[in-house]
């Protein structure tokens, strides 16, 4: 793999990319809705939705009468209970982070999770020290698929967004990174790579191990 531009930093998504939490979160969205009497038929289309974008989708699908406050409360309770049982890192996370640290390439997290949730998960999995910057939905006006979190991550790292590699697992995340002008790589988790994803990404990697191997080739003299 050849990068189209100089590489100045790597920006990571969190859920489903570094931490194996996307399935638990999507399960929470679906099951809590069902408990409240609402049906989410195509859960794949809800992966990566949080904050404003989740609210918009809920209202579009179920109307203004949907009990948003109760839903959010129960989703958080359901998800946190699942995560307390163990939030394993995705395979290859530590190896990739150690490699990037060894070549002194700055790293950031850009996530649609809240600041509290992001710091809890990154701390509990003992990887927060790898990142110079953590950007959450609380730090920007609009979450993914808007580019705000990625643009803010580049800004705080002090690098051009166009010189950042963005690692993502969701469609919304890839759209956000692409809109920010970054070099997206999709590492599919619960969603397969579609033609749109192939078009927006510089490559599709089957795992974080594969991402590391790609970067080893790029960094080799």
């Amino acid at each position: 793999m050849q990068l189209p531009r100089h590489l100045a930093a790597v920006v990571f998504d969190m859920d489903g990319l570094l931490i194996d939490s996307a399935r638990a979160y999507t399960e929470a969205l679906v099951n809590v809705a069902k408990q409240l009497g609402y049906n989410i038929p195509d859960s794949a289309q809800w992966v990566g939705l949080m904050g404003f974008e989740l609210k918009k989708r809920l209202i579009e699908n179920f109307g203004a009468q949907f009990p948003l406050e109760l839903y959010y409360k129960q989703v958080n309770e359901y998800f946190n209970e699942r995560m307390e049982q163990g939030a394993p890192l995705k395979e290859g996370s530590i190896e990739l982070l150690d490699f990037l640290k060894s070549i002194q390439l700055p790293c950031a997290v850009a996530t649609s999770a809240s600041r509290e949730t992001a710091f809890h998960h990154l701390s509990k999995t003992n990887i927060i020290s790898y990142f110079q910057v953590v950007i959450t939905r609380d730090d920007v006006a609009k979450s993914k698929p808007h580019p705000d979190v990625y643009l803010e991550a580049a800004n705080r790292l002090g690098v051009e967004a166009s010189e950042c590699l963005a690692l993502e697992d969701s469609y919304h995340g890839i759209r956000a990174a692409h809109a920010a002008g970054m070099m997206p790589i999709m590492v599919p988790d619960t969603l397969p790579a579609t033609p749109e994803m192939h078009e927006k990404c510089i490559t599709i990697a089957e795992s974080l191990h594969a991402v590391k191997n790609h970067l080893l080739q790029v960094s080799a003299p």
Side-chain angles (χ1 to χ4, degrees), residues 34 42 49 85 90 175 205:
K34 186 179 297 184
D42 186 5
L49 282 180
Q85 297 169 7
K90 297 286 287 186
R175 289 165 185 149

Side-chain angles (χ1 to χ4, degrees), residues 33 36 38 58-59 62-69 71:
L36 295 175
Y38 297 87
L58 289 166
I59 297 300
F62 304 124
Q65 79 283 354
F66 186 82
L68 286 170
E69 186 174 345
Y71 181 71

Side-chain angles (χ1 to χ4, degrees), residues 39-54:
N39 181 43
I40 295 178
D42 186 5
S43 60
Q45 296 304 314
W46 294 67
V47 175
L49 282 180
M50 295 183 181
F52 172 78
E53 296 300 326
L54 175 59

Side-chain angles (χ1 to χ4, degrees), residues 17-91:
L17 188 281
L18 282 170
I19 300 174
D20 196 6
S21 54
R23 287 180 177 81
Y25 178 69
T26 305
E27 180 183 309
L29 293 181
V30 173
N31 287 350
V32 171
K34 186 179 297 184
Q35 291 167 10
L36 295 175
Y38 297 87
N39 181 43
I40 295 178
D42 186 5
S43 60
Q45 296 304 314
W46 294 67
V47 175
L49 282 180
M50 295 183 181
F52 172 78
E53 296 300 326
L54 175 59
K55 177 180 178 180
K56 180 181 176 183
R57 180 70 62 84
L58 289 166
I59 297 300
E60 287 175 350
N61 280 261
F62 304 124
Q65 79 283 354
F66 186 82
L68 286 170
E69 186 174 345
L70 178 60
Y71 181 71
Y72 289 154
K73 178 178 181 293
Q74 293 189 7
V75 164
N76 285 334
E77 290 173 351
Y78 187 109
F79 178 69
N80 289 336
E81 183 177 339
R82 283 292 308 274
M83 295 300 285
E84 286 301 325
Q85 297 169 7
L89 289 170
K90 297 286 287 186
E91 185 178 347

Side-chain angles (χ1 to χ4, degrees), residues 88-154:
L89 289 170
K90 297 286 287 186
E91 185 178 347
S93 297
I94 295 298
E95 292 84 353
L96 175 56
L97 290 168
D98 279 339
F99 168 69
L100 295 173
K101 183 177 180 180
S102 73
I103 62 173
Q104 299 182 325
L105 199 63
C107 294
V109 168
T111 175
S112 294
S114 69
R115 191 164 190 81
E116 180 182 3
T117 296
F119 274 82
H120 174 270
H121 292 345
L122 293 170
S123 299
K124 187 163 184 175
T125 51
N126 298 314
I127 59 172
I128 195 166
S129 63
Y130 287 98
F131 304 103
Q132 287 74 50
V133 168
V134 177
I135 304 299
T136 73
R137 71 166 184 249
D138 297 328
D139 300 305
V140 295
K142 294 181 179 180
S143 192
K144 302 172 188 177
H146 300 281
D148 301 35
V149 286
Y150 278 107
L151 292 172
E152 185 63 18

